Amino acid sequence: MSDAMTQYVTPQEQQIVSANHAVTKIDVTPVAFADPPLLNSVGVHEPFALRAIVVVHTASGYYGLGETYGDEAHVARLRRAAEELIGVDPFNLNLVSRLVSRSLLEDDGQGGHGTGGMVTTTSLDDRVLSAFNVACLDIQGKILGLPVSTLLGGAVRAQVDFSGYLFYKWASHPGHGEDKWGVALDPSGIVEQARKMVDEYGFKALKLKGGVFPPEQEAAAIEALHQEFPDIPLRLDPNGVWSIPTAIQIGHRLESSLEYLEDPCLSIADNAAVRSEISLPLATNMCVVSFDDLPPALDAKAVDIVLSDHHFWGGLSRSSLLAGIAKTFGLSLSMHSNSHLGISFAAMIHLASATENIDYACDTHWPWKLVEDDVIVPGVLEIRDGSVKVPTAPGLGVELDTQALERMHQQYLDCGLQQRNDTGYMQSIDPTFELKTPRW
Amino acid sequence: MSDAMTQYVTPQEQQIVSANHAVTKIDVTPVAFADPPLLNSVGVHEPFALRAIVVVHTASGYYGLGETYGDEAHVARLRRAAEELIGVDPFNLNLVSRLVSRSLLEDDGQGGHGTGGMVTTTSLDDRVLSAFNVACLDIQGKILGLPVSTLLGGAVRAQVDFSGYLFYKWASHPGHGEDKWGVALDPSGIVEQARKMVDEYGFKALKLKGGVFPPEQEAAAIEALHQEFPDIPLRLDPNGVWSIPTAIQIGHRLESSLEYLEDPCLSIADNAAVRSEISLPLATNMCVVSFDDLPPALDAKAVDIVLSDHHFWGGLSRSSLLAGIAKTFGLSLSMHSNSHLGISFAAMIHLASATENIDYACDTHWPWKLVEDDVIVPGVLEIRDGSVKVPTAPGLGVELDTQALERMHQQYLDCGLQQRNDTGYMQSIDPTFELKTPRW
């Protein structure tokens, strides 16, 4: 194409339609919220989970909300991108994406993955773009009087189903009092936790985070859940720490009790080797985590289900693209979760409501968060009978509570954490703990 | 997912945000416009080209425009789909798509392809959806005060480059006077036509519709163009009527004079066989014409460039999805054209302006249409220096001329054509003409 054709439309040229709404200020605020000692393959959740809250302000007085990882390196990138976005038209999402990428041109890409070392190959550009894309859509919706679901093509369902997310856990963080969930370190503890989850939230699907205990023990936990909840679809996620033979063996064992098995191994090739030997569908949020992973994963027939996550797939617009790709290439789709607050929850709900091919109840960490620990005005998002009603107010449909934001930022400063480090925290408690992949 | 989750949001539920804009009426009007005797592999363009104009009206008094094929079977489908869409929220594009598909459930899919038999494997649902998707986006833009390019993610260029589309042609339709372009049946005629096109419109790329004369003659025409316009990228489109050996032979001959070769053969497998033997990029609008064609075409490495066409890829929203798929899987992208009026031209321009990876100047039949033959108020769309400025007014940025629509509908009634039939028309003039693939 000629130079003229590849030249981007400047904010000046866009002023014809949206002159009054240029971005004037972006606040990036790291916050911390209490998190239980949830165990996983790389260690254990620290007493506080970190997030960054992005608030984009326009000349017209609107603000839009985004939420993303709170790791120090990620926050620094968000702030560099934010500088680049001053003056941009929040209706030009393509330009926002371009400018975010420009802010990252010199970036070495080290650190700030936000997932405690479990997923480190996500796209840097998409990871940083995400919260700005969400915030711009929130602004658009508020200005236009449309919910974000409509901006994503229109809600195809009025409520979104979520699964109950079970974790092995200690009774408490060392030195803290016991939390309301109690201990869960064996099958009966997991069943007890599941019973609480189902009773309180009405979940109609359950997922167990595995990769913590020897696979035989985790398989026994799934079997115990299946016996206790015979009508509830179950998933197990060992977070990529099984060997191929282990995954095949446990996969066979659980064929009649699991809905799908998630990331038994870490790589596309290893999961493909497992998938060719078992009849269970495989899901992933570890080996297909960016658009670049899609062609090789499809070639290898590695997975059946992609667990999308707008935090690393570039926001809501690009997650819609992922959904279209999944449909075109015969992949099923559901949604992955990390510890999150209400802004992310609202974004996940709008996306799922406007995505025709969400084929399974989505994951969420929502129940693990204290109700009072959030930056949004409470009352909009509630899990009942395992689903959440899609907000119908303009934008994301949630409002920032500025005092809560301040309080949670202070909590961030006070807790002293600057990046998620499940491994380091575990090793501070159990010096013998080692990272190992595959572990079994 | 549970039943609750796959249930579509009803217009009643959507009324919270867009109660006033429900669709109250949809007019589907076939029109005809004068078309020169352009030659192609299946025959010759008839004296009139047919289109259907779709006007969607809302309870709030807005209207949105769509344009598509005018073949009788297609018009009947549009009208059935239109009935299904009464009462729908034009902001819920997913629901519009769902309802269009529902209207086609009992359809046998025969006829109405609109491309004169050249492309018959497009998706029925996407072909019928297209004009309604465009019209709903036009309505949204008018209501919101945003150009369609913004609704598609934001313009990344202020003008869109087009290529000059050269055709072998007779001096006139039998029994009619000579048109302004004159005869072009050999290399010097094509060069003369190209000179007129370049002088009048400033095109910086040229495409020759081939498949009409023996390949050696068409190769000679390309070589003559290359000599006359050494700096202008050239494409040749034999519309799938070459054999594999012919395509390889001519492909080698034109490696230094073509930018790309378009559909030398008809099938994915045959084009893949050609592509593996020549260094020229291959483009297609014949063997990859629906989302279902993408996985096999990628597996076969059949083509380098997909020529998108919102008329058969489901409208603008799904053409954006195609663009995202192309980028993800390493395909280049440009745009295909059939004979069209101003509504389609505006839609093509908005789409191209908001599509980052439009890698080549787009095709258009625009110069072949009489200026006075259109249904829109003139003056907005003009090709200068080979490009068109993207309209910045709300919606598509073009307005319906209701008197012109009436006049062109009368022209449709008067001309007596009810479906495009290049082959029948050619045979009425040359009874020895036969369809043949491959022809050479």
Side-chain angles (χ1 to χ4, degrees), chain B residues 66-218:
Chain B
E67 177 190 333
T68 177
Y69 311 110
D71 286 20
E72 195 174 25
H74 189 61
V75 169
R77 287 185 183 118
L78 294 170
R79 288 185 170 144
R80 278 203 303 280
E83 283 173 32
E84 199 80 40
L85 292 172
I86 299 306
V88 77
D89 171 5
F91 284 89
N92 196 326
L93 300 173
N94 289 327
L95 186 55
V96 168
S97 169
R98 176 74 164 201
L99 293 173
V100 167
S101 292
R102 195 160 80 182
S103 77
L104 298 169
L105 282 178
E106 310 284 311
D107 198 291
D108 66 4
Q110 295 304 301
H113 308 296
T115 53
M118 268 187 290
V119 182
T120 58
T121 55
T122 55
S123 152
L124 175 66
D125 290 26
D126 279 334
R127 207 163 66 228
V128 178
L129 172 60
S130 178
F132 299 108
N133 175 267
V134 174
C136 287
L137 285 165
D138 189 27
I139 287 172
Q140 290 184 20
K142 285 171 175 168
I143 292 171
L144 304 174
L146 297 171
V148 165
S149 62
T150 299
L151 299 174
L152 297 174
V156 292
R157 50 187 71 90
Q159 61 262 354
V160 172
D161 286 353
F162 286 91
S163 63
Y165 201 157
L166 310 176
F167 280 85
Y168 289 108
K169 69 181 288 294
W170 300 328
S172 67
H173 286 286
H176 292 65
E178 187 164 342
D179 60 50
K180 80 171 199 184
W181 295 100
V183 67
L185 297 169
D186 55 21
S188 70
I190 289 295
V191 167
E192 197 180 335
Q193 184 186 98
R195 176 54 64 200
K196 284 185 194 170
M197 280 262 176
V198 169
D199 285 352
E200 186 166 346
Y201 297 99
F203 289 118
K204 296 184 175 69
L206 290 169
K207 163 177 171 172
L208 174 60
K209 171 65 78 185
V212 175
F213 292 111
E216 299 288 340
Q217 289 180 37
E218 296 186 351

Side-chain angles (χ1 to χ4, degrees), chain B residues 338-358:
Chain B
N338 277 126
S339 303
H340 62 83
L341 299 170
I343 298 169
S344 282
F345 201 31
M348 292 158 71
I349 292 161
H350 280 282
L351 176 62
S353 81
T355 304
E356 179 121 19
N357 54 322
I358 290 280

Side-chain angles (χ1 to χ4, degrees), chain A residues 1-2 4-5 7-9 17 92-94 98 147 153-157 159 161 291 328 354 356 358-361 392, chain B residues 1-2 4-5 7-9 17 92-94 98 147 153-157 159 161 291 328 354 356 358 360-361 392:
Chain A
M1 303 241 85
S2 71
M5 195 133 173
Q7 194 191 327
Y8 278 74
V9 177
V17 290
N92 196 326
L93 299 173
N94 289 326
R98 177 75 162 201
V156 292
R157 51 186 71 91
Q159 60 263 355
D161 286 353
F291 289 91
T328 302
E356 178 122 18
I358 289 280
D359 303 298
Y360 299 92
T392 51
Chain B
M1 303 240 86
S2 70
M5 196 135 174
Q7 192 190 331
Y8 277 75
V9 176
V17 291
N92 196 326
L93 300 173
N94 289 327
R98 176 74 164 201
V156 292
R157 50 187 71 90
Q159 61 262 354
D161 286 353
F291 289 91
T328 301
E356 179 121 19
I358 290 280
Y360 299 93
T392 51

Side-chain angles (χ1 to χ4, degrees), chain B residues 9-26:
Chain B
V9 176
T10 64
Q12 282 73 17
E13 284 170 313
Q14 279 294 115
Q15 284 189 3
I16 297 156
V17 291
S18 46
N20 302 326
H21 303 299
V23 170
T24 48
K25 190 172 71 130
I26 301 180

Side-chain angles (χ1 to χ4, degrees), chain A residues 141-436:
Chain A
K142 285 172 176 167
I143 290 172
L144 304 174
L146 297 171
V148 165
S149 62
T150 299
L151 299 174
L152 298 175
V156 292
R157 51 186 71 91
Q159 60 263 355
V160 172
D161 286 353
F162 285 90
S163 62
Y165 201 158
L166 311 175
F167 279 85
Y168 289 106
K169 70 182 287 293
W170 300 327
S172 67
H173 286 287
H176 291 65
E178 186 163 344
D179 59 50
K180 79 172 196 182
W181 296 100
V183 66
L185 297 170
D186 56 22
S188 69
I190 290 295
V191 167
E192 195 181 338
Q193 185 186 99
R195 176 54 63 198
K196 284 185 195 170
M197 281 259 176
V198 169
D199 285 350
E200 185 164 347
Y201 298 99
F203 290 119
K204 297 184 175 65
L206 290 169
K207 164 177 170 172
L208 173 61
K209 172 65 78 185
V212 176
F213 292 110
E216 300 288 340
Q217 289 180 35
E218 297 188 350
I222 290 295
E223 286 159 350
L225 285 168
H226 187 51
Q227 193 166 3
E228 181 74 10
F229 305 96
D231 300 328
I232 290 189
L234 302 174
R235 308 101 183 243
L236 173 61
D237 173 17
N239 267 139
V241 295
W242 290 356
S243 70
I244 296 172
T246 298
I248 292 171
Q249 184 205 330
I250 304 291
H252 280 310
R253 172 169 167 181
L254 296 180
E255 270 166 11
S256 62
S257 47
L258 280 184
E259 177 178 36
Y260 60 69
L261 179 59
E262 187 180 329
D263 290 309
C265 304
L266 198 58
S267 72
I268 286 173
D270 289 1
N271 283 319
V274 173
R275 183 64 184 90
S276 68
E277 295 292 328
I278 64 173
S279 64
L280 265 181
L282 293 192
T284 186
N285 67 285
M286 296 185 79
C287 72
V288 181
V289 294
S290 76
F291 289 91
D292 287 349
D293 296 326
L294 286 160
L298 285 162
D299 276 348
K301 300 189 197 307
V303 295
D304 304 271
I305 303 148
V306 174
L307 303 175
S308 73
D309 184 328
H310 76 269
H311 302 90
F312 56 73
W313 285 94
L316 303 180
S317 310
R318 281 171 70 71
S319 294
S320 293
L321 168 60
L322 171 62
I325 292 175
K327 191 169 185 184
T328 302
F329 290 87
L331 293 169
S332 295
L333 196 71
S334 190
M335 208 178 275
H336 166 254
S337 158
N338 277 124
S339 303
H340 63 85
L341 298 169
I343 298 169
S344 282
F345 201 32
M348 292 159 71
I349 291 162
H350 280 282
L351 176 62
S353 81
T355 304
E356 178 122 18
N357 53 322
I358 289 280
D359 303 298
Y360 299 92
C362 303
D363 291 343
T364 177
H365 284 64
W366 189 251
W368 294 108
K369 181 181 80 65
L370 297 178
V371 172
E372 62 270 27
D373 261 6
D374 213 323
V375 299
I376 61 168
V377 177
V380 176
L381 308 171
E382 199 180 356
I383 303 175
R384 281 203 191 179
D385 293 330
S387 0
V388 183
K389 283 187 77 168
V390 183
T392 51
L396 290 171
V398 294
E399 289 300 315
L400 185 67
D401 177 338
T402 52
Q403 287 187 324
L405 177 65
E406 213 168 298
R407 189 179 71 238
M408 293 184 65
H409 177 58
Q410 191 59 49
Q411 198 156 271
Y412 167 82
L413 296 172
D414 293 345
C415 81
L417 300 177
Q418 292 185 315
Q419 60 185 14
R420 181 174 167 181
N421 186 359
D422 296 21
T423 307
Y425 179 54
M426 177 61 105
Q427 288 169 337
S428 76
I429 297 159
D430 172 7
T432 70
F433 182 83
E434 279 180 85
L435 281 184
K436 202 173 167 202

